Amino acid sequence: MQQTGSLVCVGTGMTLGSHISPLSRSYIEQADVVFLLVADGITEQWVGEMNNDVRSLQPYYQTGVSRMLSYQQMVAAILSEVRLNKRVVGAFYGHPGVFAWVPHKAIAEAKAEGFAAHMEPGISAEDCLIADLAIDPGTYGCQHFETSQFMFYKRCIDTAAYLILWQVGVAGDRSLAKRGTDGRYRQLLIDLLAEYYPLNHQVILYEAVTLPIQQPRITTLALAELVNAEMDPKTTLVIPPATKMVANQQMLDKLAALQADDANYQ
Amino acid sequence: MNSNVLQLLQRLGEDATLRHLADTQLEQVVNPLNFDPAIQQAICQHDDIKLAQLLHANNKIVCMILPAEEPKPDDEPAKQPEDTPEPAEPEIKRVV
């Protein structure tokens, strides 16, 4: 039997009205069903006006229940409509493929079952961060981690590059059920970061704008002050470089030798 | 009413001449509109929480969509003979 159902996961961008691409909007408007997960209730209403069948994925989040279960239920809800051979769109805030489990999983499952499925990019929180903080990830390099994952695993940190930790407001939550963790958890994160950075190193707490009447949150503070800082699930921690890049002289010498060879052949 | 307010917010977001208005200019755009004065005030005062209340928007929004899985025993790379490929990436790397 021919599979006529399809799934497209699109990004709505971060800021209402500013970021959604014409193509993503068109997919939303033309879908049979739209599953929606955005970062504020007003944007939820705004996207809700683009199609007659927009279903929020927010009800799948339940207090005290692991988010992993919620994510699995979201994927199941999306796939159930694809299997009914509908044109399904998953609309997610920011970029649907950045720090987002549900869109990747839903697309993979749809493809595995023979349905057409793909992703359309959106303007992510990272994109907003780069613009609002006026930093270029190419200048020193840039490392991104989900904060809890950063704490759960041993990682190699390059202190000469930017380090960006997402979801710092739920740092260290092993249950995946919390909407925020307190200073005790954050102190463990500070202890971990203090292995690499001085406690007075200036770091930034950042939150992108979701409504065009807001201003981005840009709070500069010392690393040690993170313990008492106000946090939100959408808060991101940006740690600028603390050391200078060290030249790899061995590699530079090898490259110089290659360059000399090239010159001899010419 | 909500529809008109949402259209205004969209215009404020997408129109280069409106995107970064000073407060007095924002009032000049918003005040002539036939909105509930409380909504006009919330917009002009950049009070997104009040605006969400007035629009009866969902205020229990969760915006976390990445699970941070803990290491499983399977994540430990098994000792391999030297000529075999690297072990598969742990699950957490695939979900990022």
Side-chain angles (χ1 to χ4, degrees):
Chain A
M1 182 181 157
Q2 192 182 2
Q3 306 277 38
T4 57
S6 64
L7 172 63
V8 184
C9 287
V10 305
T12 62
M14 295 304 297
T15 308
L16 188 159
S18 302
H19 294 164
I20 192 167
S21 73
L23 183 58
S24 292
R25 184 167 188 141
S26 178
Y27 274 118
I28 291 170
E29 289 171 345
Q30 295 179 31
D32 294 321
V33 187
V34 178
F35 288 94
L36 178 65
L37 196 66
V38 289
D40 74 88
I42 295 176
T43 302
E44 200 173 68
Q45 289 187 353
W46 176 62
V47 178
E49 296 212 328
M50 296 179 193
N51 186 296
N52 288 329
D53 192 353
V54 176
R55 307 177 191 178
S56 173
L57 290 169
Q58 287 291 334
Y60 290 100
Y61 288 114
Q62 292 165 35
T63 306
V65 173
S66 167
R67 294 201 310 279
M68 198 63 222
L69 179 62
S70 305
Y71 301 141
Q72 289 165 348
Q73 290 173 339
M74 290 177 194
V75 171
I78 293 169
L79 264 291
S80 69
E81 293 296 321
V82 177
R83 292 185 193 112
L84 294 174
N85 284 328
K86 293 182 180 176
R87 290 171 301 169
V88 180
V89 163
F92 298 85
Y93 69 97
H95 188 305
V98 177
F99 287 85
W101 189 86
V102 172
H104 282 297
K105 184 70 173 172
I107 288 173
E109 287 200 10
K111 282 183 174 176
E113 294 180 26
F115 296 101
H118 76 280
M119 181 178 286
E120 291 295 339
I123 293 179
S124 68
E126 178 192 358
D127 299 321
C128 299
L129 183 154
I130 288 167
D132 288 334
L133 299 186
I135 63 173
D136 184 340
T139 304
Y140 303 110
C142 191
Q143 308 148 99
H144 292 265
F145 298 99
E146 196 280 337
T147 307
S148 293
Q149 187 206 74
F150 175 76
M151 297 171 78
F152 296 162
Y153 289 82
K154 292 181 178 177
R155 312 304 299 245
C156 295
I157 300 305
D158 179 358
T159 54
Y162 284 96
L163 173 62
I164 300 182
L165 298 179
W166 299 86
Q167 295 186 163
V168 68
V170 286
D173 172 31
R174 299 177 67 191
S175 70
L176 295 179
K178 291 185 165 76
R179 300 287 183 261
T181 50
D182 59 33
R184 297 169 303 156
Y185 291 79
R186 249 175 270 156
Q187 186 58 55
L188 291 179
L189 174 64
I190 294 167
D191 294 345
L192 178 58
L193 291 169
E195 294 175 18
Y196 302 90
Y197 300 94
L199 286 170
N200 63 356
H201 187 57
Q202 296 294 294
V203 301
I204 301 162
L205 293 174
Y206 173 77
E207 292 171 18
V209 164
T210 58
L211 298 177
I213 59 170
Q214 297 168 324
Q215 292 295 321
R217 178 189 181 188
I218 302 172
T219 307
T220 302
L221 69 172
L223 176 60
E225 294 174 315
L226 279 178
V227 70
N228 293 318
E230 188 181 327
M231 297 275 189
D232 188 89
K234 60 178 179 285
T235 309
T236 299
L237 174 62
V238 180
I239 305 180
T243 56
K244 290 188 174 176
M245 292 187 285
V246 177
N248 184 344
Q249 197 55 51
Q250 207 174 12
M251 176 58 73
L252 289 171
D253 291 344
K254 289 177 183 174
L255 290 168
L258 274 184
Q259 207 167 2
D261 282 351
D262 290 345
N264 289 336
Y265 281 118
Q266 284 172 358
Chain B
M1 171 57 80
N2 276 17
S3 189
N4 292 339
V5 177
L6 294 169
Q7 283 174 21
L8 171 68
L9 291 172
Q10 179 178 313
R11 278 185 57 216
L12 293 177
E14 71 185 3
D15 187 332
T17 61
L18 303 177
R19 180 63 188 90
H20 296 286
L21 291 177
D23 287 353
T24 50
Q25 294 171 312
L26 182 60
E27 285 170 12
Q28 286 169 8
V29 171
V30 175
N31 287 345
L33 301 173
N34 188 28
F35 290 170
D36 175 345
I39 288 178
Q40 288 177 329
Q41 190 177 30
I43 293 172
C44 291
Q45 294 181 348
H46 310 277
D47 189 343
D48 51 289
I49 295 171
K50 184 69 178 173
L51 183 61
Q53 286 173 354
L54 292 166
L55 296 178
H56 306 290
N58 181 1
N59 64 353
K60 292 180 180 170
I61 292 285
V62 181
C63 55
M64 298 181 287
I65 51 177
L66 179 76
E69 294 181 5
E70 290 197 63
K72 301 183 183 85
D74 292 343
D75 286 351
E76 295 296 327
K79 285 191 176 173
Q80 306 268 331
E82 283 184 13
D83 57 348
T84 57
E86 287 291 304
E89 289 188 336
E91 181 70 14
I92 189 69
K93 288 190 179 176
R94 288 201 296 273
V95 302
V96 171

